[in-house]
């Protein structure tokens, strides 16, 4: 097996075997793994998609490198809400730890005091738990290590491996060089240890303004790897920090902080996305120096990179997500059209469906574009075996059954779940006035249309066969009422009863409930909004939200957010967690029953 310490180009062959169907570039073809069913509603996914990260861990376990331990971490910056890409990282990190009997730490990378907010932190914790993972008692903050990080920085100075640079940002940039051109040493690079220590302590003590100096590692200004050209590891920021208050006015930078935090927490495998590949030599350099002086234990954690998840019809950048919220393109961070985890949850996505999707998309070095339809498919697959069924008419047209006596009702019933009789039956009334779906009626039927048409019969599911006798229309010619008759000998379930070709869902006015139902479409009209001429916001789908007034069967009276239903023939729905209050029913369509989406 290839060792990950060898440089691997982002386009290298995926190390996964063919099981995941991973292609070298382009779209990923998802496998169809077998699944485990455990307790209701909380099914877990069998780790059938072998990937190169698992191979590394198994090799380490075999060689006893970390004593058989697996400790991973998910390190979000608390500066935004999590999206489906983060969910992928959460599932990889927590999932792998779980599969190997290890633990995964949740560590907030709170090194940047101006940008971070406790609202984000709380939301991130909530979403990790919602996805079904436990981070307690392993909740950490990079700021927990500010004292140690500072002490290590002095240690680097003492060893002649770090110096205070007093060039301004522009000079530093100019001296950094480029891919073709080596960098130029700073005129401050050869300051004495004493001078560096004095200056660094003055920086810490607030004696210098923001930007006046930075602390840099002394590595190699001519390195072909730009990350090794004397990277800055501390900068001055006279800003209060949400956790350490005004204790510090120098803050450590990410690359320096991250590897040391990993090592302090005895992380074994530090899994991150491919953009950090070129940072790995720096990660290893810092840790090797601290291990050799006995400041940190050995072996050091190993950084392993995999490709980011990208899904078509979305944008993933935090800046763009914020812009979509701020410009009102979506209604807040939890808009059900959004692929933030808060949005997906509100829409009706289940944790199981997201874990299944993450598992199927595997982890590889190959750039990954996944079809939105695969996320939708994972949801259908997760919900089909568990979602209670219900009849709901989304675009109602009134039907009056003239040979059914006024005021009479008769109970009909249907299974809560067609494949699980133990879940019992739901009941609803057959009555003189019912609603059917407008699209289940055609005045002039197209060929092969077996639903309701003038003079023809159709079965009202779980009820009787009715026949369309005549129509009532408004001034514009739109059908407002269908007058029908029913055949009393055809009640559903009658032994030896006759049948007709079409069967449609319906709701009776006598016990039906009115609800607002929100039907969603993709937020963008193009597969890759980031790659279009002009602004990505020019490609917003104006029809991404349609609200309809629906009629629902009475079993939905006490439906609650977090529950999922299959509305027969119409898709999977969940009560909206924001708008649904007692007595008002608002449902979101999470996904249609079939992948019928056409651009
Ligand atoms: P930023 O540009 O602000 O760093 P970010 O999306 O990387 O944005 P982080 O809070 O740093 O946000 O992300 C936390 C973790 O989630 C990181 O380890 C990051 O690699 C991972 N992550 C983010 N986006 C994706 C994605 N699309 N696919 C897989 N992992 C992701
Ligand atoms: Mg990041």
């Amino acid at each position: 097996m290839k060792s990950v310490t060898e440089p691997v180009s982002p386009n290298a062959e995926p190390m996964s075997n063919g099981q995941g169907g991973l292609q070298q570039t382009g779209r990923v073809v998802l496998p169809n793994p077998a699944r485990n069913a455990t307790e209701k509603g909380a099914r877990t996914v069998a780790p059938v998609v072998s990937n190169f990260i698992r191979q590394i861990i198994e090799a380490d376990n075999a060689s006893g490198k970390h004593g058989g331990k697996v400790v991973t971490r998910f390190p979000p910056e608390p500066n935004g809400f999590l999206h489906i890409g983060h969910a992928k990282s959460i599932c990889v990190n927590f999932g792998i730890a779980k599969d190997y009997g290890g633990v995964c730490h949740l560590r907030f990378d709170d090194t940047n005091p101006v940008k971070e907010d406790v609202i984000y932190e709380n939301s991130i914790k909530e979403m990790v738990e919602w996805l079904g993972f436990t981070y307690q008692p392993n909740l950490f903050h990079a700021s927990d290590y500010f004292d140690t990080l500072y002490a290590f920085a002095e240690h680097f100075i003492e060893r002649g491996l770090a110096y205070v640079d007093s060039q301004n940002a522009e000079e530093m940039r100019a001296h950094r060089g480029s891919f073709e051109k080596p960098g130029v040493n700073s005129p401050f690079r050869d300051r004495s240890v004493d001078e560096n220590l004095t200056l660094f302590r003055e920086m810490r003590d607030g004696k210098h303004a923001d930007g006046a100096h930075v602390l840099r590692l002394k590595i190699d200004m001519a390195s072909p790897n730009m990350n090794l050209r004397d990277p800055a590891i501390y900068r001055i920021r006279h800003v209060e920090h949400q956790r350490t208050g005004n204790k510090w006015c120098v803050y450590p930078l990410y690359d320096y902080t991250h590897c040391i935090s990993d090592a302090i927490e005895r992380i074994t495998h530090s899994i991150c996305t491919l953009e950090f590949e070129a940072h790995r030599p720096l990660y290893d350099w810092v840790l090797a120096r601290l291990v050799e002086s006995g400041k940190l234990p050995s072996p050091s954690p190993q950084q392993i990179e995999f490709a980011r998840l990208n899904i078509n019809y979305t944008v993933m950048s935090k800046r763009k997500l914020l812009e979509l919220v701020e410009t009102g393109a979506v209604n807040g961070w939890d808009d059900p059209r959004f692929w933030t985890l808060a949005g997906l949850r509100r829409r009706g996505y289940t944790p199981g469906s997201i874990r299944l999707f993450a598992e199927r998309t595997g982890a590889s070095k190959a750039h990954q574009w996944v079809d939105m339809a695969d996320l939708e498919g994972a949801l259908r697959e997760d919900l089909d075996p568990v979602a209670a069924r219900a009849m709901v008419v989304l675009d109602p047209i009134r039907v009056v059954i003239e040979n059914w006596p006024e005021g009479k009702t008769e109970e009909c019933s249907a299974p809560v779940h067609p494949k699980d009789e133990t879940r019992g039956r739901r009941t609803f009334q057959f009555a003189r006035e019912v609603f059917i779906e407008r699209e289940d009626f055609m005045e002039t039927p197209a060929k092969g249309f077996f639903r309701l048409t003038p003079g023809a019969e159709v079965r009202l599911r779980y009820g009787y066969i009715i026949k369309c006798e005549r129509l009532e229309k408004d001034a514009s010619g739109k059908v407002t009422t269908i007058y029908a008759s029913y055949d009393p000998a055809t009640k559903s379930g009658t032994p030896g009863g006759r049948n007709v070709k079409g069967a449609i869902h319906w709701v009776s006015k006598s016990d039906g409930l009115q609800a607002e139902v929100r039907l969603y479409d993709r937020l963008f009209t193009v597969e890759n909004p980031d790659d279009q001429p002009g602004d990505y916001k020019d490609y917003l789908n104006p029809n991404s939200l349609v609200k309809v007034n629906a009629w629902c069967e009475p079993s939905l009276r006490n439906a609650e957010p977090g529950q999922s239903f299959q509305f027969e023939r119409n898709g999977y729905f969940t009560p909206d967690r924001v708008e649904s209050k007692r007595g008002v029913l608002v449902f979101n369509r999470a996904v249609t029953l079939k992948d019928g989406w056409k651009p």
Side-chain angles (χ1 to χ4, degrees), residues 111-411:
T111 45
N112 193 355
V114 275
K115 276 208 211 142
E116 290 139 12
D117 204 306
V118 65
I119 298 174
Y120 296 128
E121 225 182 273
N122 290 338
S123 151
I124 290 169
K125 286 188 205 160
E126 187 184 346
M127 286 305 151
V128 170
E129 281 176 337
W130 177 67
L131 282 174
F133 299 110
T134 313
Y135 57 82
Q136 292 293 12
N138 298 303
L139 173 65
F140 302 98
H141 290 80
S143 56
D144 298 341
Y145 313 124
F146 280 175
D147 287 316
T148 310
L149 290 160
Y150 179 85
F152 286 175
E154 287 205 352
H155 171 75
F156 278 108
I157 294 174
E158 282 160 1
R159 286 179 63 189
L161 294 174
Y163 62 98
V164 173
D165 195 351
S166 309
Q167 297 181 101
N168 63 34
E170 219 168 282
E171 290 163 334
M172 236 178 289
R173 212 172 304 123
H175 289 160
R176 204 165 166 241
S178 64
F179 283 113
E180 297 81 36
K181 217 172 81 191
V184 175
N185 284 355
S186 162
F188 303 100
R189 199 172 195 261
D190 294 319
R191 274 176 164 152
S192 69
V193 168
D194 282 348
E195 191 185 354
N196 280 320
L197 265 185
T198 307
L199 270 172
F200 188 47
R201 287 177 184 164
E202 284 176 13
M203 286 162 63
R204 176 199 61 191
D205 296 339
K207 303 233 165 77
H208 298 280
D210 287 11
H213 314 279
V214 294
L215 184 71
R216 297 177 78 173
L217 292 175
K218 195 187 277 191
I219 308 181
D220 179 7
M221 286 305 290
S223 170
N225 184 337
M226 303 285 282
N227 295 295
L228 295 179
R229 292 188 188 173
D230 292 7
I233 60 169
Y234 263 93
R235 60 181 167 174
I236 306 172
R237 304 210 88 178
H238 289 269
V239 179
E240 186 174 305
H241 186 278
Q242 63 273 25
R243 296 187 78 243
T244 57
N246 290 310
K247 179 173 175 193
W248 297 96
C249 60
V250 287
Y251 290 98
L253 283 133
Y254 178 84
D255 277 334
Y256 175 73
T257 308
H258 196 76
C259 55
I260 295 175
S261 307
D262 280 350
I264 293 173
E265 290 175 21
R266 304 300 311 261
I267 300 299
T268 56
H269 301 87
S270 179
I271 303 164
C272 61
T273 36
L274 270 183
E275 71 272 20
F276 291 103
E277 192 170 43
H279 297 237
R280 193 192 328 130
L282 175 56
Y283 184 103
D284 292 342
W285 189 95
V286 170
L287 294 187
R289 299 291 83 75
L290 292 166
V291 169
E292 75 199 12
S293 52
K295 299 273 176 200
L296 286 174
S298 168
S300 290
Q302 176 181 359
Q303 177 180 304
I304 304 169
E305 310 87 14
F306 72 99
R308 264 176 191 262
L309 171 73
N310 294 297
I311 304 184
N312 60 8
Y313 299 98
T314 69
V315 293
M316 291 286 185
S317 118
K318 275 182 188 161
R319 181 183 64 75
K320 288 179 181 167
L321 296 185
L322 181 63
E323 195 172 55
L324 289 169
V325 173
E326 283 178 347
T327 57
V330 293
N331 300 317
W333 286 99
D334 62 349
D335 187 304
R337 290 167 294 182
F338 230 178
W339 43 93
T340 53
L341 293 185
L344 290 171
R345 176 176 70 173
R346 185 170 165 197
R347 167 105 166 223
Y349 271 83
T350 55
S353 66
I354 294 174
R355 291 196 303 263
L356 174 62
F357 173 73
E359 180 66 31
R360 289 223 179 132
T361 50
S364 86
K365 292 272 186 192
H367 284 293
Q368 200 180 30
W369 271 99
V370 176
D371 201 325
M372 179 63 100
D374 293 326
L375 180 61
E376 295 163 349
L379 181 60
R380 288 184 195 104
E381 203 173 315
D382 193 56
L383 287 180
D384 180 54
V386 291
R389 274 32 177 188
M391 290 201 291
V392 175
V393 176
L394 299 178
D395 183 12
I397 181 168
R398 179 169 165 254
V399 178
V400 176
I401 302 162
E402 291 177 292
N403 60 341
W404 186 278
E406 300 259 8
K408 178 188 167 183
T409 60
E410 188 179 309
E411 190 175 277

Side-chain angles (χ1 to χ4, degrees), residues 432-548:
R432 184 177 163 93
E433 221 176 291
V434 302
F435 296 98
I436 65 167
E437 219 59 82
R438 187 167 286 276
E439 65 171 33
D440 283 335
F441 173 78
M442 268 181 111
E443 190 171 359
T444 318
K447 199 165 174 280
F449 186 86
F450 297 116
R451 291 167 274 164
L452 199 59
T453 62
E457 289 183 319
V458 76
R459 174 173 293 284
L460 298 184
R461 270 189 177 179
Y462 318 115
Y464 291 92
I465 292 174
I466 62 165
K467 181 176 173 188
C468 170
E469 303 288 354
R470 64 196 171 86
L471 306 172
E472 192 173 271
K473 296 181 181 180
D474 65 13
S476 71
K478 187 177 170 188
V479 177
T480 51
T481 305
I482 296 167
Y483 290 93
S485 60
Y486 86 108
D487 178 350
T490 58
K491 177 117 188 236
S492 183
T494 308
R498 70 185 178 94
N499 235 332
V500 288
K501 268 195 172 157
I504 61 176
H505 62 277
W506 56 281
V507 170
S508 109
K509 193 177 174 188
S510 61
D511 67 347
L513 312 168
Q514 283 180 280
E516 179 182 307
V517 176
R518 298 175 176 190
L519 307 172
Y520 301 103
D521 200 345
R522 293 178 185 174
L523 193 62
F524 290 102
T525 53
V526 291
E527 276 207 42
N528 191 343
D530 280 323
D531 258 10
Q532 304 294 325
D535 188 70
Y536 73 101
K537 294 197 292 314
D538 298 342
Y539 301 90
L540 284 163
N541 177 1
N543 304 314
S544 57
L545 168 59
V546 175
K547 296 180 185 178
V548 298

